[in-house]
């Protein structure tokens, strides 16, 4: 099968799967469920296990994610030599799993700890899960081998930040190995997402932790290691966020004149306004979803299609997770709409 024919086949498969998804117009199907058992039946069309609500909620999230990864990997394996970019993309799950395992290792320091249930990405994993709980063997020969030699002076939060940064930079740099016909478009989408993530992160630090601008600067995601504000201001991902640090979190007028005005939580009459990072995060990801869905159909080459599909499905998993949590807590599903702005997608 020629590459162009394979690309067309995968594009058609992805379009077919997206037509059955639970985002966009399909979100109303998630809204129709009234129990975790009903959600299980809707998502999997199989008998629901008889377990506690908390266990069932966890099982729904785990199974949803696992099915997506099976589908993604099956399409990736249709190519004899998948692009390194797509392998770097799916290794997000290795990074997330590793953070969980390192937390267990640091917390319990138990040489007999069993490997927790988690979704793997074989044959594209960089980790040796069969070597757990030996952390050194788990990461041996991988790009994250340095984790095994990190001293106790590094906190769990710092370690996870380093891993997040490594994933982002590795993914970004791998795009340069793609043809410009699709690499430029993918880099634009990834840049838009990372800029918004940086914005939300900076606001969380300011609103929830009371950090000043100078403290926030050093915690922004950058493509290169930076040492001062001039370097940060020139960075592709952090530079645009620097100017927002001058806006008071309580000054709606200042924010409304910025390029981020469409994301703002609206002011309420007779109420003191403060910028809401949760609101901005949900609206931003709704806009990103719309972008991924539109861009999916603009280029049917495999890396471009699978990147857009990966992002759309990750958003769908967030929607499923939100509905699951509402059902577990006995909250009305409508609250998902109010908080996450999903229904309007």
């Amino acid at each position: 099968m020629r590459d162009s024919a394979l690309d067309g086949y995968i594009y058609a498969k992805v379009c077919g799967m997206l037509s059955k998804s639970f985002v966009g117009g399909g979100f109303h199907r998630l809204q129709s469920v009234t129990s975790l058992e009903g959600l299980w039946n809707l998502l999997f069309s199989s008998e629901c296990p008889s377990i506690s609500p908390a266990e069932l909620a966890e099982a729904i999230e785990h199974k949803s994610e696992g099915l997506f990864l099976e589908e993604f990997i099956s399409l990736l394996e249709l190519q004899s030599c998948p692009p390194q970019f797509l392998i770097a993309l799916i290794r997000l799950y290795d990074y997330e799993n590793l953070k969980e395992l390192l937390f267990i290792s640091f917390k319990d320091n138990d040489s007999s700890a069993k490997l927790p249930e988690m979704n793997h990405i074989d044959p594209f994993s960089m980790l040796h899960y069969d070597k757990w709980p030996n952390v050194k063997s788990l990461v041996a020969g991988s790009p994250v081998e340095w984790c095994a030699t990190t001293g106790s002076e590094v906190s769990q939060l710092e370690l996870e930040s380093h891993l997040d940064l490594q994933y982002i930079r590795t993914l970004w740099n791998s795009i340069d190995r793609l043809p410009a016909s699709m690499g430029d478009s993918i880099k634009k989408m990834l840049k838009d997402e990372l800029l918004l993530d940086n914005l939300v992160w900076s606001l969380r630090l300011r609103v929830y932790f009371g950090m000043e601008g100078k403290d926030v600067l050093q915690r922004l995601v950058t493509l290169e290691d930076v040492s001062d504000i001039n370097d940060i201001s020139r960075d592709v991902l952090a530079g645009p966020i620097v100017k927002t640090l001058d806006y008071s979190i309580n000054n709606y007028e200042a924010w409304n004149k910025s390029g981020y005005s469409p994301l703002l939580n609206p002011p309420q009459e007779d109420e003191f306004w403060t910028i809401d990072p949760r609101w901005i995060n949900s609206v931003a990801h709704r806009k990103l979803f719309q972008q991924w869905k539109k861009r999916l159909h603009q280029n049917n080459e495999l890396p471009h299609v699978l990147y857009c599909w990966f992002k759309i499905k990750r958003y769908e998993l967030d929607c499923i997770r939100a509905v699951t949590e509402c059902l577990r807590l006995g909250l009305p599903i409508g609250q998902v709409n109010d908080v996450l702005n999903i229904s309007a997608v």
Side-chain angles (χ1 to χ4, degrees):
M1 183 181 289
R2 295 186 301 109
D3 284 349
S4 60
L6 178 60
D7 289 347
Y9 170 76
I10 290 178
Y11 172 71
K13 287 278 291 183
V14 166
C15 288
M17 289 186 285
L18 285 178
S19 68
K20 302 174 183 177
S21 68
F22 297 94
V23 285
F27 184 69
H28 72 276
R29 289 183 289 159
L30 289 179
Q31 290 177 295
S32 67
V33 299
T34 58
S35 66
L36 287 171
E37 291 77 10
L39 181 60
W40 177 282
N41 293 331
L42 173 66
L43 295 175
F44 312 127
S45 300
S46 63
E47 185 176 353
C48 181
S50 298
I51 51 181
S52 70
E55 291 172 322
L56 182 54
E58 185 176 345
I60 288 172
E61 294 176 15
H62 180 77
K63 187 175 178 67
S64 297
E65 184 177 78
L67 290 175
F68 158 58
L69 288 177
E70 286 179 14
E71 292 173 340
F72 190 93
I73 290 171
S74 69
L75 294 180
L76 205 55
E77 288 184 310
L78 290 176
Q79 279 207 336
S80 57
C81 186
Q84 186 60 40
F85 164 71
L86 292 176
I87 295 175
L89 178 68
I90 198 175
R91 280 183 174 170
L92 170 65
Y93 286 92
D94 270 345
Y95 280 91
E96 290 182 343
N97 289 346
L98 179 58
K99 286 189 287 186
E100 181 180 347
L101 293 175
L102 290 175
F103 176 77
I104 294 172
S105 177
F106 289 167
K107 179 183 177 182
D108 299 335
N109 195 25
D110 185 356
S111 60
S112 63
K114 292 183 179 180
L115 183 71
E117 187 176 12
M118 49 180 52
N119 287 306
H120 300 170
I121 56 169
D122 293 335
F124 302 108
S125 176
M126 62 181 177
L127 302 178
H128 309 288
Y129 291 99
D130 60 316
K131 303 300 184 181
W132 173 258
N134 187 315
V135 174
K136 185 175 181 179
S137 299
L138 173 74
V139 299
S142 76
V144 292
E145 192 170 20
W146 55 268
C147 287
T149 57
T150 300
S152 57
E153 69 277 2
V154 177
S155 68
Q156 179 73 17
L157 180 59
E158 290 176 307
L159 184 57
E160 291 187 2
S161 296
H162 287 316
L163 287 171
D164 289 339
L165 192 58
Q166 180 172 328
Y167 171 75
I168 290 169
R169 290 177 176 178
T170 300
L171 181 62
W172 182 274
N173 292 332
S174 70
I175 298 176
D176 293 333
R177 300 170 65 175
L178 297 173
S181 60
M182 69 182 102
D184 291 346
S185 175
I186 291 174
K187 186 165 283 189
K188 171 65 167 60
M189 287 187 284
L190 182 57
K191 176 185 173 183
D192 289 345
E193 180 184 7
L194 294 175
L195 274 171
L196 289 170
D197 285 346
N198 251 347
L199 173 66
V200 172
W201 176 235
S202 70
L203 288 172
R204 283 174 172 161
L205 292 175
R206 297 177 64 191
V207 174
Y208 302 144
F209 298 96
M211 286 191 182
E212 300 293 334
K214 64 180 185 300
D215 297 318
V216 173
L217 280 175
Q218 299 301 323
R219 291 170 170 80
L220 295 177
V221 171
T222 58
L223 287 181
E224 303 290 341
D225 290 334
V226 293
S227 57
D228 57 45
I229 188 170
N230 291 326
D231 289 338
I232 297 174
S233 297
R234 289 191 292 266
D235 189 87
V236 172
L237 302 182
I241 309 302
V242 173
K243 64 181 67 174
T244 69
L245 299 178
D246 292 330
Y247 304 153
S248 167
I249 59 174
N250 300 317
N251 190 333
Y252 177 78
E253 288 72 22
W255 282 98
N256 197 39
K257 293 176 183 178
S258 73
Y260 302 106
S261 57
L263 306 178
L264 298 178
N265 50 300
Q268 302 297 322
E269 188 175 356
D270 298 328
E271 287 188 13
F272 184 74
W273 186 85
T274 297
I275 199 165
D276 186 347
R278 293 182 305 167
W279 179 283
I280 291 179
N281 182 63
S282 59
V283 176
H285 281 84
R286 181 178 67 182
K287 290 182 178 294
L288 288 170
F289 164 77
Q290 293 169 335
Q291 181 187 86
W292 297 323
K293 188 177 180 182
K294 179 180 179 181
R295 293 285 184 89
L296 171 67
H297 304 292
Q298 294 179 349
N299 187 325
N300 69 352
E301 294 179 88
L302 182 141
H304 185 276
V305 169
L306 288 188
Y307 172 76
C308 292
W309 187 52
F310 183 90
K311 292 297 182 178
I312 292 170
K313 291 294 288 187
R314 289 275 296 181
Y315 183 79
E316 180 188 47
L317 290 172
D318 285 341
C319 294
I320 292 172
R321 191 173 296 111
V323 170
T324 300
E325 191 65 10
C326 279
L327 291 171
R328 185 181 72 84
L329 297 174
L331 301 174
I333 296 298
Q335 190 162 329
V336 177
N337 301 341
D338 297 335
V339 175
L340 299 182
N341 295 287
I342 294 172
S343 61
V345 174

